[in-house]
């Protein structure tokens, strides 16, 4: 039987991802970009630090992304518990943003599903044996009917 080649690291990106970027959560409101850089510089060279802001208030969202020049430093940081300004913070490996559909695409898909299934749903509504008002599909007018109990 032919021997198979061992799996390449590129076949398993999640398990062998050596990105130097980490996600930092549960940040206190007093945390700043400069403070985060100074704190994480204790572990190794920080090449980038990003703190996203809330849109209307321009206040920090309580999360950050820190990128280290050396990916091994990120691995060391992940295995350590962290406190910033006396508050424990969460540090995890940053996952790349997936290709999520935009809001407009989701809205269009929902509209297509509604128009696809709406006629079948309306037919089911008209066939239900119950009393009350219903929209007559032939005339488009509201009518009243009453089904006698058996």
């Amino acid at each position: 039987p032919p021997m198979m080649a061992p799996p390449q690291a590129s076949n398993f990106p999640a398990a062998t991802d050596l990105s130097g970027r980490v996600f930092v959560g549960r940040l206190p409101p007093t945390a700043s970009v400069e403070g985060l850089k100074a704190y994480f510089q204790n572990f190794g060279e920080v090449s980038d630090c990003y703190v996203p802001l809330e849109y209307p208030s321009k206040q920090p969202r309580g999360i950050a992304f820190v990128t280290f020049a050396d990916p091994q430093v990120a691995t060391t940081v992940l295995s350590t518990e962290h406190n910033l300004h006396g508050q424990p913070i969460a540090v995890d490996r940053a996952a790349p943003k997936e290709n999520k559909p935009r809001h407009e695409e989701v809205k269009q898909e929902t509209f297509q599903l509604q128009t696809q299934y709406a006629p079948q749903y309306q037919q089911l509504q008209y066939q239900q044996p119950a009393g009350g008002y219903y929209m007559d599909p032939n005339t488009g007018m509201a009518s009243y009917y009453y089904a006698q109990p058996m």
Side-chain angles (χ1 to χ4, degrees), residues 71-121:
Q72 289 293 45
V73 173
T75 305
T76 304
V77 167
L78 292 173
S79 63
T80 308
E81 291 188 17
H82 302 277
N83 287 301
L84 191 64
H85 302 293
Q87 179 176 333
I89 58 174
V91 179
D92 200 2
R93 182 146 331 257
K97 196 181 246 187
E98 297 176 10
N99 292 331
K100 296 179 182 175
R102 300 182 64 176
H103 176 71
E104 294 82 16
E105 294 170 1
V106 172
K107 192 173 179 181
Q108 179 64 27
E109 183 179 323
T110 303
F111 175 74
Q112 289 171 350
L113 288 173
Q114 287 174 345
T115 55
Q116 178 182 356
Y117 293 109
Q120 296 167 1
Y121 177 70

Side-chain angles (χ1 to χ4, degrees), residues 24 27-28 30-32 35-36 39-40 82-89:
V24 183
L27 287 174
T30 56
S32 65
L36 283 169
Y39 175 79
F40 284 108
H82 302 277
N83 287 301
L84 191 64
H85 302 293
Q87 179 176 333
I89 58 174

